[in-house]
Amino acid sequence: MHNETTTDRIPVAILGATGAVGQRLVSLLFNHPWFEPMALCASERSAGKPYGQATRWILADPMPEAAAAMTVRSSAPFAEPKIVFSALEADIAFEIEEDWARNGHLVVSNARSHRMREDVPLVIPELNADHLALVRRQPYPNGGAIVTNPNCSTIGLVLALAPLERAFGLKAVNVVTMQAASGAGYPGVPFMDLIDNVVPFIPGEEEKLETEPLKILGSLTSDGTRVEKATFGVSAACHRVAVSDGHMEAVSVSFEKPADKAAIMRAWIDFEADTEGLNLPSAPAKPVLYSDAPDRPQPRFDRNAGHGMSATIGRLRPCSILGWKFELLSHNTVRGAAGGTILLAELCVAKGLVNGAVAPARSVVKEIQSIIEPQLEMA
Amino acid sequence: MHNETTTDRIPVAILGATGAVGQRLVSLLFNHPWFEPMALCASERSAGKPYGQATRWILADPMPEAAAAMTVRSSAPFAEPKIVFSALEADIAFEIEEDWARNGHLVVSNARSHRMREDVPLVIPELNADHLALVRRQPYPNGGAIVTNPNCSTIGLVLALAPLERAFGLKAVNVVTMQAASGAGYPGVPFMDLIDNVVPFIPGEEEKLETEPLKILGSLTSDGTRVEKATFGVSAACHRVAVSDGHMEAVSVSFEKPADKAAIMRAWIDFEADTEGLNLPSAPAKPVLYSDAPDRPQPRFDRNAGHGMSATIGRLRPCSILGWKFELLSHNTVRGAAGGTILLAELCVAKGLVNGAVAPARSVVKEIQSIIEPQLEMA
Amino acid sequence: MHNETTTDRIPVAILGATGAVGQRLVSLLFNHPWFEPMALCASERSAGKPYGQATRWILADPMPEAAAAMTVRSSAPFAEPKIVFSALEADIAFEIEEDWARNGHLVVSNARSHRMREDVPLVIPELNADHLALVRRQPYPNGGAIVTNPNCSTIGLVLALAPLERAFGLKAVNVVTMQAASGAGYPGVPFMDLIDNVVPFIPGEEEKLETEPLKILGSLTSDGTRVEKATFGVSAACHRVAVSDGHMEAVSVSFEKPADKAAIMRAWIDFEADTEGLNLPSAPAKPVLYSDAPDRPQPRFDRNAGHGMSATIGRLRPCSILGWKFELLSHNTVRGAAGGTILLAELCVAKGLVNGAVAPARSVVKEIQSIIEPQLEMA
Amino acid sequence: MHNETTTDRIPVAILGATGAVGQRLVSLLFNHPWFEPMALCASERSAGKPYGQATRWILADPMPEAAAAMTVRSSAPFAEPKIVFSALEADIAFEIEEDWARNGHLVVSNARSHRMREDVPLVIPELNADHLALVRRQPYPNGGAIVTNPNCSTIGLVLALAPLERAFGLKAVNVVTMQAASGAGYPGVPFMDLIDNVVPFIPGEEEKLETEPLKILGSLTSDGTRVEKATFGVSAACHRVAVSDGHMEAVSVSFEKPADKAAIMRAWIDFEADTEGLNLPSAPAKPVLYSDAPDRPQPRFDRNAGHGMSATIGRLRPCSILGWKFELLSHNTVRGAAGGTILLAELCVAKGLVNGAVAPARSVVKEIQSIIEPQLEMA
């Protein structure tokens, strides 16, 4: 445990703190070397109660004692938090997040509500950190801004695609997902729907997978005011399978330029993340890993790779239709939700988007790994 | 129970009778209106024991008493059976099946060993019954012949593709499977490999899915001696999921001719099976069904459609890469193995391939349904 | 399908018709030889809509077309139904069921609300049909009455215990359950709670298991006005396991009189059900079956025994603490809920509790089996 | 990673190193602060191959590189190893383990073969360390000895019972288990046997649970040559459930002396382990933990408690038959197999049973926790 005094850390609030993603944020942020949670916000029904009472805790690691004792607040903005993490449901996120931004806060959101707005960056820190420039176009005063984390199944896919896009240019991407139940939150999918079964439909999911990658892999115009979307085609078919955590995706791709297996592997292995050199505590050593085993990646064995922050790729092989195909896995509630959102907030700090907050020196970076790891045991 | 005397029915033998597919054959054939099992054959280890002792029975319906009392024989040919059902493992099937054919028997095989031979028909009875003509090229004397049933994941796929091939011409097919554990036989997949997991690899499966459809949907030359393989491309990615029975497949297709949703639906609904009018007892009313529900088909709810002999299709929708995509389900151990093999044997009888055997009249046809149905409860 | 005209059948209503047990009732009653569903009742939110729209149908067999077209009614009593099946939640069942009884209807309830009332029979038709006499003590006019079906885990247990109580006298019963998810209704248990897990607690379940058996196995006083509860001790520990349907129970028992294995087996096998000779369409041939296999019963293989209406017992063996122990399985949504409730209603008809309704002759009895069976495929 | 030179550590061999328990031993011992694996032994079929080739590795943490490169040896004894860990199958363990003992080695065995021998200690280090004295009765020369680790379901049970036996005296114990699939090794239980199912039988398991606790909780005679077995009754019913790791047990107990809830809780909490003060690296802070939550322990959430070495108890409540009942969970492959065996070897070192080996000083003890923990992520 670190010994920094509280005042060294950046005060943050968590919206939707009692939900599934909110709990994961609580769990990670109460042990975070940079951030100091000072408010846990939830619906009016929970407001006023101690967090420990208001929450049906569903993680394996115990609720942080400091969190349990905090009184839950409503979601209305107040002055202190410099960063507001949003794990709100999409239906209410739109307005509440704007409220905070209008009050001068940086909102880092896992909700889909603002993702596709032209002036809102949709960011995977390793891939398109430059898109953060879009916040300058946002209408909020006093440094208020909204930045967004992509959908859980999008993040894994785009982590694998970005090196290929840079190296060979993408023409078409076909992706068939086999997604974990935790992606639906809690209580989420009924046991009776998924035992001995596959459900070939997740509302809204195929649409997100077919649009978000084009924005993330789009190019910031030279004046930094707009993202020119990428133009390759994406076709997605989404399935829910009997898995707790870890989204599998069967991906096939066609390229603009010729590619062979060695070159593709090299693209993944040599990929230089935008986050390199920034010493962000939640950044994995490698955003994508490649497994040589004939039958990997697999959710139960690979989801925790890179402390749950790395996507694992395997089985790269020719595809007689599109050219190449491979299998992909990433942890949907760590990289795909809470962990990804925190990494994005770290990036915002490093890029100077948080009023008066400075990224800590390198010395604390390593510490985060011993914090994240135990939490993954049951992730 | 029917009252035909034994002599009315066609004597048959079952090879590999103690295995998973063999047991399903035993279960179905001991109640079959046309066939009379007279020999259960297995390895030397089992030969000489009563079938009831030699077999670890894994079906929910009880072992037929007549089967339990039979003494298991070795797999060496003997005169009486007119049809020999083979549920042998591929590594030993090649020679044993030839042995029987050389001795003048019709071998109806579920093994892959002879499937791709130029002179061996690979048949889905509703789709390419005419390919049976190939047996005339086979070198076996006295009416001996080998006919083969496709791989379990191939059958569902081709049932869905055949109407589209006829109506619009196929250019390319991309298929991603989510296959049930029973496809690996028994004991098959260890529980520890599949709980909370997906395994993105099934040895040899992608190769079968990429080649068998081209033979099945190929054209018999006018002299009936050769099948001109179809030439569309097929790319397959195969996964094992935590499901007992029922293979899901996410399929996308491109056509030679323009097609709209209504036309595609009509192609499936209006499809005329080669088996129509033949009154084969195991033929389902419709080889493919279409579900309008937004989240179907699903293994647990749709695998028993058509007594396990119909494939169910759902979610037909445009694909931005290939044109159209849909979801598909079929029962891998009924339609995909034992049931499909029996239907193929029935077709052979109807087509006169079995020396001295004649297809029974219509009156017994309905009876089979009350026999198959209870077996599906736990299929 | 039978050809009786509608007027031959007894008009019935279903309360809570859109829920999990309600749907199973709809499915069974729209094909029942004695009963004619004329009203499907649900909450005000659903009332006024067609049943097909108001209901998220979760059974594998399709919704009966006649049901789909019916307009859902509120739960307020109206004249026509002679029998009212209640699948209401316990919190609202108490008052609504009384309302119907006060209006002269026979309420056959699956809810726990009235089960332990002194003047309400808690009945397993094969075991304590005589307890129906209690209804004469009920305060309802015009033949109104409430009869109740026990809890799903109670029914299997008491089916196994009753023959032992009669033969040897019970002193103590220890039962540890492993219960299926469907017992919690729909949506019921979240997938995330039960994958790779066991939950050692089901609210209120141990209390029901420790009290209901004593009432069911109690003796009706000679004047028929009271049930003297049985006095043996019951201790229960209840667990939810990753199973769809079928409650397993590990039971150990001590007896008043000496017993050996043969005598215990004989008690089960020779048990004479109170329903014998009554030709109730839903009564199984044998309420309890015994499996000789060393590893049975098992939910996936035995839950559908006797069309889901028989409990299966296995592994009877000495217990060094209580004397004897065995394993037990019964289908919790068929025998334990909808099927058991319908059997109880049939018993009420046969016993003359339904004004002006007469039990049909034997000829229709067999018919029900072909109706129940297909529904069990996915039960 | 520690910096001790190799010569500081005690040379050990692993028998059955390619199996499921053997792999876990390899994984833990190649990072152990006291032990230095110098030989990995397996069947003749594997001998001569590099361990990395001979082994189908099934753990989530990668195979230690030093292990992968080692050449597998046969199981025949050779001089160097001071301790031999045996993960052999029971059928071959008897003779091979004796061979090593006769050659002067200390065999620490997870196999059941020698467990019930009068001169072989069956030890849970926290509970009956004094039983190690029995080895002096063994006939092996040069310090050769065999000590044994109990069955996986026994260990959890006895960890919970021992404090109760000391405080109140046990009269009777009824235990119903719900055991994880990993207890059957690999490949172990077929997926088709356990999906949507419970199997109420594990060969030999009930016998072990009914006998081993009496030996472990027995008293060493004052001359240290014999263990007087405990005499309370144990009745066990064992089930396999659809869980990967973690055995649940529903336990009821009767005592010699009166006990109330507070006293029972105190017995568990205040329990003084025999290992206290010995600084054994694998010893958990508390061998038993108590959870106050109404629905715990649960395998998915509690199996890793105390790095997989603590049993978790919950739901202590009165039992109308035996007096008290509770729920119990322990990790069957860590505490119940490899971890327990290693802890036992550590105890033997501390007690001076290993020729010329001395227990390291306290400073290295803490180190082990950072080693064990990452391995539990997928345990």
Side-chain angles (χ1 to χ4, degrees):
Chain A
M1 195 56 77
H2 61 96
N3 293 312
E4 297 177 89
T5 62
T6 302
T7 50
D8 292 345
R9 297 199 283 169
I10 302 164
V12 304
I14 302 168
L15 307 180
T18 57
V21 174
Q23 290 183 28
R24 180 72 70 187
L25 284 168
V26 165
S27 180
L28 292 169
L29 288 171
F30 271 81
N31 290 297
H32 196 278
W34 293 10
F35 301 132
E36 173 79 26
M38 55 171 307
L40 305 177
C41 306
S43 67
E44 294 299 333
R45 203 184 53 243
S46 299
K49 295 183 193 159
Y51 181 74
Q53 263 179 45
T55 306
R56 163 138 172 56
W57 189 254
I58 58 169
L59 303 185
D61 50 305
M63 183 187 290
E65 283 179 29
M70 268 192 184
T71 301
V72 175
R73 300 182 64 128
S74 81
S75 302
F78 64 101
E80 291 80 356
K82 286 190 186 300
I83 301 177
V84 178
F85 290 90
S86 167
L88 293 168
E89 296 292 322
D91 55 346
I92 57 167
F94 195 91
E95 287 193 34
I96 295 175
E97 291 178 5
E98 280 227 288
D99 257 14
W100 283 90
R102 269 194 295 264
N103 279 272
H105 303 272
L106 173 68
V107 177
V108 185
S109 175
N110 191 56
R112 73 159 189 277
S113 311
H114 295 280
R115 279 184 198 149
M116 300 306 288
R117 266 175 56 181
E118 290 224 333
D119 59 354
V120 171
L122 178 65
V123 174
I124 297 177
E126 291 95 331
L127 308 184
N128 64 331
D130 60 331
H131 289 199
L132 287 178
L134 287 181
V135 299
R136 287 179 307 209
R137 277 187 55 204
Q138 293 184 4
Y140 312 116
N142 303 321
I146 298 174
V147 300
T148 59
N149 187 49
N151 182 47
C152 54
S153 57
T154 302
I155 296 178
L157 178 64
V158 180
L159 280 172
L161 292 181
L164 307 180
E165 166 74 341
R166 289 194 198 171
F168 313 109
L170 289 166
K171 269 168 58 184
V173 176
N174 193 74
V175 56
V176 174
T177 70
M178 286 147 275
Q179 299 183 222
S182 61
Y186 185 88
V189 186
F191 184 79
M192 292 300 290
D193 281 3
L194 218 38
I195 180 170
D196 196 4
N197 209 14
V198 172
V199 178
F201 180 59
I202 302 174
E205 196 77 1
E206 294 175 356
E207 291 73 7
K208 291 180 214 164
L209 258 174
E210 294 183 352
T211 54
E212 292 181 8
L214 302 178
K215 179 168 180 181
I216 302 166
L217 294 179
S219 309
L220 190 72
T221 53
S222 56
D223 63 356
T225 63
R226 216 160 40 80
V227 167
E228 203 86 61
K229 282 187 191 155
T231 56
F232 57 87
V234 185
S235 178
C238 294
H239 306 76
R240 192 73 75 190
V241 293
V243 164
S244 62
D245 289 304
H247 287 353
M248 281 286 305
E249 309 190 11
V251 185
S252 42
V253 288
S254 67
F255 298 134
E256 298 285 353
K257 298 182 207 159
D260 60 18
K261 186 166 179 179
I264 296 172
M265 299 284 292
R266 222 176 313 118
W268 281 323
I269 291 165
D270 297 350
F271 183 72
E272 254 186 69
D274 294 358
T275 46
E276 273 175 39
L278 296 180
N279 299 324
L280 308 184
S282 302
K286 288 276 177 192
V288 295
L289 304 171
Y290 189 86
S291 168
D292 284 319
D295 58 357
R296 300 285 275 266
Q298 296 179 15
R300 202 159 80 88
F301 294 100
D302 297 302
R303 59 191 166 207
N304 289 339
H307 309 291
M309 292 296 285
S310 299
T312 302
I313 303 170
R315 297 203 69 217
L316 175 66
R317 59 206 191 282
C319 166
S320 62
I321 309 293
L322 292 185
W324 292 95
K325 58 189 172 190
F326 56 88
E327 306 289 325
L328 170 68
L329 180 92
S330 69
H331 196 301
N332 55 299
T333 63
V334 179
R335 167 55 89 161
T341 306
I342 292 173
L343 180 60
L344 177 52
E346 293 166 3
L347 177 70
C348 291
V349 172
K351 294 293 187 187
L353 262 72
V354 182
N355 296 329
V358 182
R362 190 187 194 97
S363 59
V364 301
V365 172
K366 287 255 165 77
E367 186 184 355
I368 191 72
Q369 303 204 333
S370 61
I371 293 166
I372 291 182
E373 194 158 337
Q375 306 210 13
L376 289 180
E377 287 179 19
M378 286 305 318
Chain B
M1 196 56 73
H2 60 96
N3 292 312
E4 297 177 88
T5 61
T6 300
T7 51
D8 290 348
R9 296 200 284 170
I10 301 164
V12 305
I14 302 170
L15 307 180
T18 57
V21 173
Q23 291 183 29
R24 180 72 70 188
L25 284 169
V26 165
S27 179
L28 293 169
L29 288 172
F30 271 81
N31 291 296
H32 196 280
W34 292 10
F35 301 132
E36 174 78 24
M38 55 172 307
L40 306 178
C41 306
S43 67
E44 293 299 332
R45 204 183 53 242
S46 299
K49 296 183 193 160
Y51 182 74
Q53 264 178 43
T55 306
R56 160 133 174 61
W57 188 255
I58 58 169
L59 303 184
D61 51 305
M63 182 188 291
E65 284 178 29
M70 268 193 183
T71 300
V72 174
R73 299 183 63 128
S74 80
S75 301
F78 63 101
E80 291 81 355
K82 286 190 186 302
I83 301 177
V84 178
F85 290 91
S86 167
L88 293 169
E89 295 293 323
D91 54 346
I92 57 167
F94 196 91
E95 287 193 33
I96 295 175
E97 292 178 5
E98 280 228 288
D99 257 13
W100 283 89
R102 268 193 298 264
N103 278 272
H105 303 272
L106 173 67
V107 177
V108 185
S109 174
N110 191 54
R112 71 159 190 277
S113 312
H114 295 280
R115 278 183 197 150
M116 300 307 287
R117 266 175 55 181
E118 290 224 333
D119 59 355
V120 170
L122 179 64
V123 174
I124 297 176
E126 291 94 332
L127 308 184
N128 64 331
D130 59 331
H131 289 199
L132 287 178
L134 287 182
V135 299
R136 288 179 305 210
R137 276 186 54 202
Q138 293 184 4
Y140 310 116
N142 304 320
I146 298 174
V147 301
T148 59
N149 188 48
N151 182 47
C152 55
S153 58
T154 302
I155 296 179
L157 178 64
V158 180
L159 280 171
L161 292 181
L164 307 180
E165 165 75 342
R166 290 195 198 171
F168 312 110
L170 288 167
K171 268 169 55 185
V173 176
N174 192 74
V175 57
V176 174
T177 70
M178 286 147 276
Q179 300 183 221
S182 61
Y186 186 88
V189 186
F191 184 80
M192 292 300 289
D193 281 3
L194 218 39
I195 180 170
D196 196 4
N197 209 14
V198 172
V199 178
F201 180 58
I202 301 174
E205 196 78 2
E206 294 175 356
E207 291 73 8
K208 292 180 213 164
L209 258 174
E210 294 183 352
T211 54
E212 292 181 7
L214 302 178
K215 179 167 180 182
I216 301 166
L217 294 179
S219 310
L220 191 71
T221 53
S222 56
D223 61 357
T225 63
R226 215 158 43 79
V227 167
E228 202 84 64
K229 283 187 191 156
T231 56
F232 56 88
V234 184
S235 178
C238 294
H239 306 75
R240 192 74 74 191
V241 293
V243 164
S244 62
D245 290 304
H247 287 352
M248 283 286 305
E249 309 190 11
V251 185
S252 42
V253 289
S254 68
F255 298 134
E256 299 285 354
K257 299 182 207 160
D260 61 18
K261 185 165 180 178
I264 296 172
M265 299 284 292
R266 226 179 307 118
W268 281 322
I269 291 165
D270 298 349
F271 183 72
E272 256 185 68
D274 294 357
T275 46
E276 272 175 40
L278 296 181
N279 299 323
L280 307 184
S282 302
K286 287 277 177 193
V288 295
L289 304 171
Y290 190 87
S291 167
D292 283 319
D295 59 356
R296 299 285 274 264
Q298 295 178 15
R300 203 160 80 88
F301 294 100
D302 297 303
R303 59 191 166 206
N304 290 339
H307 308 292
M309 292 295 286
S310 299
T312 302
I313 302 169
R315 297 202 69 216
L316 176 65
R317 59 206 191 282
C319 166
S320 62
I321 310 292
L322 292 185
W324 292 95
K325 58 189 172 189
F326 56 88
E327 306 289 325
L328 169 69
L329 181 92
S330 70
H331 196 303
N332 55 300
T333 62
V334 179
R335 167 54 90 161
T341 306
I342 292 173
L343 179 60
L344 177 52
E346 293 166 3
L347 178 70
C348 291
V349 172
K351 293 294 186 188
L353 261 71
V354 182
N355 297 329
V358 182
R362 189 185 198 99
S363 60
V364 300
V365 172
K366 287 254 165 78
E367 188 186 352
I368 191 72
Q369 303 203 335
S370 61
I371 293 167
I372 291 183
E373 193 157 337
Q375 307 212 10
L376 288 180
E377 286 180 19
M378 284 307 318
Chain C
M1 196 56 75
H2 61 96
N3 292 314
E4 298 176 89
T5 62
T6 299
T7 51
D8 291 345
R9 297 199 286 170
I10 301 164
V12 304
I14 302 169
L15 307 180
T18 57
V21 173
Q23 291 184 29
R24 180 72 70 186
L25 284 168
V26 165
S27 180
L28 293 169
L29 289 171
F30 271 80
N31 291 297
H32 195 279
W34 293 9
F35 301 131
E36 173 79 24
M38 55 171 306
L40 305 177
C41 305
S43 68
E44 294 299 331
R45 203 183 54 241
S46 299
K49 296 184 193 158
Y51 182 74
Q53 263 178 43
T55 306
R56 161 134 174 58
W57 189 254
I58 58 168
L59 303 184
D61 50 305
M63 183 188 289
E65 284 179 28
M70 269 193 183
T71 301
V72 175
R73 301 182 63 129
S74 80
S75 302
F78 64 102
E80 291 81 355
K82 285 190 188 299
I83 301 176
V84 179
F85 290 91
S86 166
L88 293 168
E89 296 292 323
D91 55 345
I92 57 168
F94 195 92
E95 286 193 33
I96 296 175
E97 291 178 6
E98 281 228 287
D99 257 14
W100 283 89
R102 270 192 296 263
N103 279 270
H105 302 271
L106 173 68
V107 177
V108 184
S109 174
N110 192 55
R112 73 159 188 276
S113 312
H114 295 281
R115 278 182 199 152
M116 299 308 287
R117 266 175 55 183
E118 290 224 332
D119 59 354
V120 170
L122 178 64
V123 175
I124 298 177
E126 291 94 331
L127 309 184
N128 64 331
D130 60 330
H131 290 199
L132 287 178
L134 287 181
V135 299
R136 287 178 306 208
R137 276 186 55 201
Q138 293 184 5
Y140 311 117
N142 304 319
I146 298 175
V147 300
T148 59
N149 187 49
N151 183 46
C152 54
S153 58
T154 302
I155 296 179
L157 177 64
V158 181
L159 280 171
L161 292 181
L164 306 180
E165 165 75 342
R166 288 194 199 172
F168 313 108
L170 288 166
K171 268 167 56 184
V173 176
N174 192 75
V175 57
V176 174
T177 70
M178 287 147 274
Q179 300 184 223
S182 62
Y186 185 88
V189 187
F191 184 80
M192 292 299 290
D193 281 3
L194 219 39
I195 180 171
D196 196 5
N197 209 14
V198 172
V199 178
F201 180 58
I202 302 175
E205 196 77 2
E206 295 175 357
E207 290 75 7
K208 291 180 213 163
L209 259 173
E210 295 183 351
T211 54
E212 293 181 8
L214 302 178
K215 179 168 180 182
I216 301 166
L217 295 179
S219 311
L220 190 71
T221 53
S222 55
D223 62 356
T225 63
R226 214 160 43 79
V227 166
E228 202 87 61
K229 282 187 193 156
T231 56
F232 56 87
V234 185
S235 177
C238 294
H239 306 76
R240 191 73 77 190
V241 294
V243 163
S244 62
D245 289 305
H247 286 353
M248 281 288 304
E249 310 190 11
V251 185
S252 42
V253 288
S254 67
F255 298 134
E256 299 285 353
K257 297 182 207 159
D260 60 19
K261 186 166 180 179
I264 296 172
M265 300 284 293
R266 223 176 311 118
W268 281 323
I269 291 164
D270 296 350
F271 183 72
E272 255 185 69
D274 294 358
T275 47
E276 273 174 40
L278 296 181
N279 299 324
L280 308 184
S282 302
K286 286 276 177 194
V288 295
L289 304 171
Y290 190 86
S291 168
D292 282 320
D295 58 358
R296 300 285 272 265
Q298 295 179 15
R300 202 159 81 87
F301 294 100
D302 296 303
R303 59 192 167 207
N304 289 340
H307 309 290
M309 293 295 285
S310 299
T312 302
I313 302 169
R315 296 202 71 216
L316 175 65
R317 59 207 190 281
C319 166
S320 62
I321 310 293
L322 292 185
W324 292 95
K325 58 189 172 187
F326 56 87
E327 306 289 323
L328 169 69
L329 181 92
S330 70
H331 196 302
N332 56 300
T333 63
V334 180
R335 167 54 88 160
T341 306
I342 292 173
L343 179 60
L344 176 53
E346 294 166 3
L347 177 70
C348 292
V349 172
K351 294 293 188 188
L353 263 70
V354 182
N355 299 327
V358 182
R362 189 184 196 99
S363 60
V364 302
V365 173
K366 288 255 166 78
E367 186 184 354
I368 190 73
Q369 303 204 334
S370 61
I371 293 166
I372 291 182
E373 193 158 338
Q375 305 210 11
L376 288 182
E377 287 181 18
M378 286 303 319
Chain D
M1 196 56 76
H2 60 97
N3 293 313
E4 297 177 88
T5 61
T6 301
T7 50
D8 291 345
R9 296 199 285 170
I10 301 163
V12 305
I14 302 170
L15 307 180
T18 57
V21 173
Q23 291 183 29
R24 180 72 70 188
L25 284 169
V26 165
S27 179
L28 292 169
L29 288 172
F30 271 81
N31 290 296
H32 195 280
W34 293 8
F35 301 132
E36 174 78 25
M38 56 170 306
L40 305 178
C41 305
S43 68
E44 294 299 332
R45 203 183 55 243
S46 299
K49 295 184 194 160
Y51 182 74
Q53 263 179 43
T55 306
R56 162 136 175 56
W57 189 254
I58 58 170
L59 303 185
D61 50 305
M63 182 187 291
E65 284 179 30
M70 268 193 185
T71 301
V72 175
R73 299 183 65 128
S74 80
S75 302
F78 63 102
E80 291 79 358
K82 287 189 187 302
I83 301 177
V84 178
F85 290 91
S86 166
L88 293 168
E89 295 293 323
D91 54 347
I92 56 168
F94 195 91
E95 286 194 33
I96 295 176
E97 291 178 5
E98 280 227 288
D99 258 13
W100 283 89
R102 270 194 295 264
N103 279 272
H105 302 271
L106 173 69
V107 178
V108 185
S109 173
N110 192 55
R112 73 159 188 277
S113 312
H114 295 281
R115 278 183 198 151
M116 300 307 286
R117 266 175 56 183
E118 290 224 333
D119 59 354
V120 171
L122 178 65
V123 175
I124 298 178
E126 291 95 331
L127 309 184
N128 63 331
D130 59 331
H131 289 199
L132 287 178
L134 287 181
V135 299
R136 288 179 306 208
R137 275 187 55 202
Q138 294 185 4
Y140 311 117
N142 304 320
I146 297 175
V147 301
T148 60
N149 188 49
N151 182 47
C152 55
S153 58
T154 302
I155 296 179
L157 177 63
V158 180
L159 280 171
L161 292 181
L164 307 180
E165 165 75 341
R166 289 194 198 172
F168 313 110
L170 289 166
K171 268 168 57 185
V173 176
N174 192 74
V175 55
V176 175
T177 70
M178 288 147 274
Q179 299 184 221
S182 62
Y186 185 88
V189 187
F191 184 79
M192 292 299 289
D193 281 3
L194 218 39
I195 180 170
D196 196 5
N197 209 14
V198 172
V199 177
F201 181 58
I202 301 174
E205 196 77 2
E206 295 176 355
E207 289 75 7
K208 292 180 213 163
L209 259 173
E210 295 183 351
T211 54
E212 293 182 6
L214 302 179
K215 178 167 180 182
I216 302 166
L217 294 179
S219 310
L220 190 71
T221 53
S222 55
D223 61 357
T225 62
R226 214 158 42 79
V227 167
E228 202 86 61
K229 282 187 192 158
T231 55
F232 56 87
V234 184
S235 177
C238 294
H239 305 76
R240 191 74 76 190
V241 293
V243 163
S244 62
D245 288 305
H247 287 353
M248 282 287 303
E249 310 190 12
V251 185
S252 42
V253 288
S254 67
F255 298 133
E256 299 285 354
K257 300 182 206 159
D260 60 19
K261 186 166 179 178
I264 296 173
M265 300 284 293
R266 224 176 310 118
W268 282 323
I269 291 166
D270 297 349
F271 182 73
E272 255 186 69
D274 294 357
T275 46
E276 273 175 40
L278 296 182
N279 299 322
L280 308 184
S282 303
K286 286 275 177 193
V288 296
L289 305 170
Y290 190 87
S291 168
D292 283 320
D295 58 357
R296 299 286 273 265
Q298 296 179 15
R300 202 159 80 87
F301 294 100
D302 296 302
R303 59 191 165 207
N304 290 339
H307 309 291
M309 292 295 286
S310 299
T312 303
I313 302 169
R315 296 202 69 217
L316 175 65
R317 59 208 192 280
C319 166
S320 63
I321 309 293
L322 292 186
W324 291 95
K325 57 189 172 189
F326 56 87
E327 306 289 324
L328 170 68
L329 181 92
S330 70
H331 197 301
N332 55 299
T333 63
V334 180
R335 167 54 90 160
T341 306
I342 292 173
L343 179 61
L344 176 53
E346 293 166 4
L347 177 69
C348 291
V349 172
K351 294 294 187 188
L353 264 70
V354 182
N355 298 330
V358 182
R362 189 184 198 101
S363 60
V364 301
V365 173
K366 287 254 164 79
E367 187 184 352
I368 190 71
Q369 304 204 334
S370 61
I371 293 166
I372 291 183
E373 193 158 337
Q375 306 211 13
L376 289 181
E377 287 180 18
M378 286 304 320

